[in-house]
Amino acid sequence: MEQSFRIAVIPGDGIGGEVIAAGQQVLEALARGSGGTCRFEWIEYPWGSAYYAGHGVMMDPKGLELLQDTDAIYFGAVGWENVPDHTSLWGLRLNITQNFDQWANIRPVKFLPGIQSPLRRADTADLGWIVVRENSEGEYAGLGGRNLAGRGPGNEVAVQTALFTEAGCERIIRFAFDLALDRTVPKVSSVTKSNAQQYGMVLWDEVFRRVAADYPGVETESILVDAMSAKFVLQPESLSVVVASNLFADILSDLGSALAGSLGLAASANLNPERRFPSMFEPVHGSAPDIAGRGISNPVGAIASGALMLDHLGLPGEARRLEQAIEAVTASGIRTRDVGGSAGTAEVTEAVIAALRATAAGGAG
Ligand code: GGG
């Protein structure tokens, strides 16, 4: 039986357009080779900083209603010089993640074959972990304000408050434990800075201990963010699932992606696990204005985000086939410049499609 999926596409800014187009080509090829299992209907929205230039807003004011009626959102990147970064981020990406309560952001740190890591450990140890980012509150709650500018230069004050709710902490920590149950090493590392942040992050630590008691088979550790950033570099083999607040996990996942070879490789899923709202899949990297439009951006992060989307749509076999195709391509040496190669976006994309065809021909998946 054929399954048809309505996918909203928001390429956004900079290299977002290039890598999302690459991902769509790959997913279309996968659908064509699926023997009628799946079909995608793409609904593209031109929202982003160019849209802002014409409309004064980052997305259609009715945009959330339009997105609600889809099975998933495939998102590129946000951020361009014509719009202040906080305006573009809150006007588009955060507008969607917050309103659609996409509270779980998973960011796998994958060490792909043929990709050189700056970590010496990567040569001998089998590395790989998942960063679970709390995606709805914490430091990104958007609470605060600016005041007293009227007192003259140098006297303005700003308050930015982080929000930690017991329910918000519990749902993301439980999500991390459930994820750990399916991993070879069932372990969850919780990251805070609760020695300095004595309210919200102490609450997080307490919830972590309480939830951990429900998972006796899962090893745990609770680590301060400064120590965890050192651990990413010095003891990465000890990591399996790392759960942290919105800001800390954002930073740590960038560090993890760089350690795996490049931010261009990293995939992510912004999930509303209850499925009240569509979930959103995007490469971890941003719009990269320095290389936009040159045809050299790495499409792997966007393509791998497509694999996470396939999982979410209930197509795990197709997701694994796509991940295997990516691995075959990185192993073969067809790589973009950020990972030491000379191939362009199109060449890597075509190679992934060819690898998919090869597995279809070989009967795999
Ligand atoms: N594709 C990811 C992206 O566009 N990121 C832009 C950015 O600045 N994100 C901030 C965040 O994820 O908190």
Side-chain angles (χ1 to χ4, degrees):
M1 190 188 71
E2 182 187 88
Q3 287 177 284
S4 183
F5 300 100
R6 279 167 56 78
I7 310 294
V9 181
I10 308 174
D13 300 331
I15 62 168
E18 305 164 23
V19 298
I20 289 301
Q24 284 180 270
Q25 283 171 41
V26 169
L27 289 165
E28 271 299 306
L30 189 127
R32 277 196 304 277
S34 73
T37 310
C38 64
R39 200 177 74 80
F40 298 107
E41 182 193 346
W42 306 101
I43 307 125
E44 185 160 334
Y45 296 106
W47 304 330
S49 297
Y51 187 88
Y52 187 94
H55 299 80
V57 286
M58 289 296 292
M59 62 187 280
D60 185 332
K62 290 209 161 75
L64 293 173
E65 285 169 46
L66 299 169
L67 296 175
Q68 174 69 66
D69 190 28
T70 61
D71 294 302
I73 305 163
Y74 196 34
F75 185 86
V78 61
W80 204 251
E81 60 186 9
N82 64 316
V83 188
D85 282 342
H86 61 278
T87 303
S88 59
L89 191 66
W90 276 98
L92 188 56
R93 184 185 174 277
L94 290 178
N95 193 13
I96 297 168
T97 58
Q98 301 277 28
N99 280 298
F100 282 172
D101 201 17
Q102 294 168 348
W103 52 266
N105 182 204
I106 59 167
R107 296 182 159 195
V109 177
K110 290 187 89 169
F111 289 73
L112 295 166
I115 302 289
Q116 197 175 15
S117 161
L119 287 175
R120 266 177 295 150
R121 291 285 165 91
D123 297 336
T124 49
D126 189 14
L127 300 179
W129 61 94
I130 300 182
V131 176
V132 175
R133 174 183 182 185
E134 200 297 315
N135 214 31
S136 66
E137 51 179 50
E139 309 86 343
Y140 282 55
L143 300 175
R146 292 172 63 164
N147 211 341
L148 305 184
R151 290 186 182 175
N155 288 305
E156 188 175 0
V157 296
V159 175
Q160 184 91 42
T161 305
L163 174 76
F164 290 88
T165 66
E166 192 170 356
C169 294
E170 172 149 1
R171 67 183 181 178
I172 195 67
I173 290 169
R174 214 167 265 289
F175 184 92
F177 273 95
D178 288 337
L179 210 57
L181 288 176
D182 287 335
R183 290 183 57 84
T184 319
V185 178
K187 176 178 175 185
V188 180
S189 307
S190 166
V191 183
T192 61
K193 187 68 183 172
S194 51
N195 54 350
Q197 303 275 299
Q198 73 271 50
Y199 306 118
M201 291 199 168
V202 170
L203 175 64
W204 174 294
D205 282 353
E206 287 171 10
V207 173
F208 182 70
R209 282 194 293 274
R210 178 163 58 72
V211 172
D214 292 341
Y215 296 83
V218 178
E219 190 190 337
T220 63
E221 62 182 357
S222 202
I223 298 198
L224 297 178
V225 66
D226 39 354
M228 183 52 98
S229 53
K231 197 166 195 172
F232 264 44
V233 178
L234 299 174
Q235 288 175 287
E237 67 281 4
S238 73
L239 303 171
S240 182
V241 175
V242 176
V243 62
S245 65
N246 217 327
L247 179 63
F248 288 177
D250 185 21
I251 297 167
L252 284 172
S253 58
D254 269 27
L255 174 60
S257 314
L259 294 174
S262 169
L263 252 74
L265 302 166
S268 86
N270 301 283
L271 301 175
N272 173 248
E274 298 85 4
R275 294 178 185 256
R276 274 187 64 213
F277 302 102
S279 293
M280 183 160 78
F281 301 83
E282 59 169 341
V284 167
H285 65 71
S287 58
D290 54 330
I291 58 164
R294 293 171 56 196
I296 60 170
S297 55
N298 192 338
V300 169
I303 296 171
S305 302
L308 295 177
M309 185 162 75
L310 292 171
D311 265 326
H312 183 74
L313 295 173
L315 301 168
E318 283 74 7
R320 298 293 82 72
R321 263 189 69 212
L322 181 47
E323 286 174 349
Q324 282 161 15
I326 292 170
E327 286 172 24
V329 171
T330 58
S332 76
I334 302 173
R335 297 187 289 262
T336 44
R337 290 175 204 201
D338 56 310
V339 280
S342 57
T345 313
E347 201 180 331
V348 173
T349 306
E350 282 153 21
V352 175
I353 292 170
L356 274 175
R357 277 203 204 102
T359 58

